[in-house]
Amino acid sequence: MSDSMTLPLHMRRTAFDPDPELMTAREEEGVRRVRTAFGLDAWLVTRFADVREVLGDAERFSNAGTSRFQFPGTADVSEEQRRKMRAGNLLAFDPPEHTRLRRMLTPEFTMRRMRRLEPRIRDIVSDHLDAMERTGPPADLVTAFALPIPSLVICELLGVPYEDRDDFQRRTNRLLDISQPPEVRVASQQESRAYMTDLVGRARAEPGEDMLGMLIREHGDDLSTEELTGVANLLLLAGHETTSNMLGLGTLAFLRHPDQLDLLRKEPERIGAAVEELMRWLSIIHSGMSKVTTTEVELSGKRIPEGEIVVCSLPAANRDPEFIDDPGRFDIGRGDLGHLAFGHGVHHCLGAPLARMEMRIAFPALFERFPGLRETETPAEFRSFHIVYGLTTFPVAW
């Protein structure tokens, strides 16, 4: 059975590109009724202006409202268990609850704080390039470079033992893979929380200098153990899964667009703009950002009643010709034009400064160390069934 037969429209892709039918839906309709990956009916929003409006209006489009819906695999989960699984997950709340949680975390992700991390990130990148060089080609760029670097950074930042990475990466993979049975995904979520609950308990007893320790010292009385667990769980998952897929896909994008790689090599100061263009062009959060309407709304001439699920397609919005000229072209000369790949509004990605820094360091270092980096005869494997789009394997030589 092919991806297109089983995947919802907004998750179908051919290599880097969204499905042509998704582009047609954006041009002709703007908003289309669809069935989500979880079997629920929703309104798919595809135009840049509409997606920006939905993401920017937490009053009319609620994140918390999605908790009312019964998702597959959760029939046996009690209301109390659901409440515990939601606790601390910023994506499950609206203001003012969301504001309270986010305010405690924001200082840790300022550019000033991130700059303090820069030397350590450079060391981590160098160490992994050294290891690739020692081992020699061929190498799988996913396992040798793209996945371990963000994983190690977020582990050190949070205070998660790096030796636990195989376990948490396996759990994350199962949780984010919509082709897995719902019961498996729910079990993975519960295992992840159990692991993090234990870690939070140890950090409460002996807070370190990491982010978990800081949250306990500064906000230990304001945050319950369940909330701390949820916050740490979200940061661990988002902190390694998203950036690692950007590093893998981004490298492949450059190798398949040698003119853009040449431009970056000749003018390395373009790296900031290159990262923004990669974010726009790849839009790896392709599974749709879900909201629930709190009142009747109108988007692209369609009336959507109160209490309906609305799914925002970031790949469609970021390739909207109303937003940007020639949107299907990968062009690092564009600069940052205000893409939506990190979201928008109150839920704009908290870790965006960290992700940007990791990419600005990792891409140039990789291409400088291995000027002859190339794909092998074994092609990279794309994975569509994941909540986060990316590569399963990416064999390279140099």
Side-chain angles (χ1 to χ4, degrees):
M1 190 176 284
S2 73
D3 288 13
S4 60
M5 291 171 70
T6 54
L7 278 172
L9 174 62
H10 52 286
M11 289 181 72
R12 295 179 209 158
R13 297 177 83 135
T14 306
F16 304 113
D17 299 329
D19 191 290
E21 191 187 332
L22 180 62
M23 304 295 97
T24 302
R26 183 193 61 216
E27 302 315 313
E28 295 180 357
E29 301 164 77
V31 177
R32 179 188 280 195
R33 196 83 167 127
V34 294
R35 178 64 58 97
T36 71
F38 308 109
L40 301 170
D41 289 326
W43 299 86
L44 181 64
V45 183
T46 55
R47 291 177 181 163
F48 182 88
D50 289 340
V51 169
R52 199 171 189 277
E53 181 180 341
V54 172
L55 298 182
D57 189 341
E59 285 190 20
R60 291 189 304 147
F61 301 95
S62 163
N63 276 40
T66 57
S67 64
R68 297 203 314 270
F69 291 86
Q70 180 82 46
F71 289 90
T74 60
D76 298 331
V77 180
S78 70
E79 192 48 50
E80 175 62 13
Q81 284 175 304
R82 282 176 215 266
R83 186 192 64 74
K84 284 184 177 178
M85 284 161 74
R86 278 198 306 272
N89 178 356
L90 278 82
L91 298 176
F93 294 98
D94 301 321
E97 296 90 338
H98 170 269
T99 314
R100 179 181 73 86
L101 288 169
R102 178 131 179 167
R103 196 178 287 133
M104 298 180 204
L105 291 166
T106 302
E108 290 303 300
F109 286 97
T110 59
M111 276 312 296
R112 189 170 52 81
R113 285 283 174 98
M114 290 304 107
R115 281 195 199 99
R116 269 193 234 161
L117 275 175
E118 186 172 349
R120 181 64 188 126
I121 295 173
R122 289 191 183 281
D123 287 345
I124 289 170
V125 169
S126 287
D127 290 346
H128 285 82
L129 292 173
D130 291 345
M132 279 177 66
E133 201 164 13
R134 276 196 308 274
T135 310
D140 181 353
L141 198 81
V142 172
T143 53
F145 184 78
L147 185 56
I149 289 169
S151 298
L152 185 50
V153 171
I154 198 66
C155 281
E156 289 193 7
L157 188 62
L158 273 177
V160 174
Y162 188 56
E163 57 268 23
D164 294 348
R165 70 191 179 282
D166 288 344
D167 286 336
F168 74 64
Q169 283 165 1
R170 191 182 66 249
R171 286 191 296 266
T172 299
N173 260 322
R174 286 200 305 249
L175 174 62
L176 298 181
D177 184 350
I178 64 165
S179 68
Q180 292 285 337
E183 298 74 21
V184 170
R185 297 180 66 232
V186 170
S188 297
Q189 186 179 3
Q190 290 170 331
E191 286 169 26
S192 296
R193 283 199 78 99
Y195 167 77
M196 198 56 80
T197 301
D198 178 59
L199 208 61
V200 166
R202 281 185 272 156
R204 274 201 188 275
E206 204 174 324
E209 293 304 309
D210 45 65
M211 192 183 297
L212 214 44
M214 179 282 301
L215 286 170
I216 287 164
R217 277 193 302 276
E218 295 183 20
H219 306 288
D221 297 336
D222 311 318
L223 284 167
S224 67
T225 294
E226 285 167 7
E227 285 179 322
L228 263 172
T229 298
V231 162
N233 226 7
L234 177 64
L235 292 177
L236 178 62
L237 183 153
H240 79 271
E241 189 66 30
T242 48
T243 310
S244 70
N245 285 298
M246 279 301 302
L247 289 176
L249 277 174
T251 302
L252 185 60
F254 272 119
L255 294 186
R256 292 193 179 175
H257 296 81
D259 58 321
Q260 297 302 300
L261 181 52
D262 286 346
L263 180 58
L264 182 62
R265 283 191 164 125
K266 284 179 194 141
E267 301 175 28
E269 67 276 9
R270 288 187 184 269
I271 184 58
V275 164
E276 301 310 318
E277 175 67 348
L278 282 170
M279 291 294 304
R280 178 200 73 82
W281 194 67
L282 295 172
S283 293
I284 60 169
I285 307 296
H286 69 157
S287 50
M289 306 180 82
S290 298
K291 311 271 183 181
V292 172
T293 53
T294 60
T295 183
E296 184 181 86
V297 298
E298 186 174 319
L299 295 168
S300 283
K302 294 257 176 54
R303 288 194 175 277
I304 303 174
E306 178 186 346
E308 295 276 312
I309 298 176
V310 170
V311 173
C312 292
S313 172
L314 300 186
N318 279 330
R319 292 198 183 198
D320 187 344
E322 292 296 314
F323 158 56
I324 196 167
D325 291 334
D326 197 3
R329 191 179 82 246
F330 173 49
D331 177 5
I332 68 169
R334 294 185 199 269
D336 179 9
L337 299 171
H339 61 75
L340 298 170
F342 281 120
H344 176 67
V346 297
H347 290 283
H348 181 270
C349 176
L350 182 67
L354 176 60
R356 284 183 166 114
M357 175 170 283
E358 289 180 282
M359 287 187 274
R360 285 172 183 169
I361 292 170
F363 285 126
L366 174 68
F367 294 128
E368 187 179 331
R369 181 72 67 96
F370 302 116
L373 193 73
R374 63 186 188 279
E375 294 180 73
T376 68
E377 289 177 8
T378 308
E381 278 182 27
F382 292 86
R383 56 174 210 195
S384 296
F385 283 90
H386 256 243
I387 300 281
V388 182
Y389 191 55
L391 299 173
T392 311
T393 59
F394 179 10
V396 294
W398 55 87

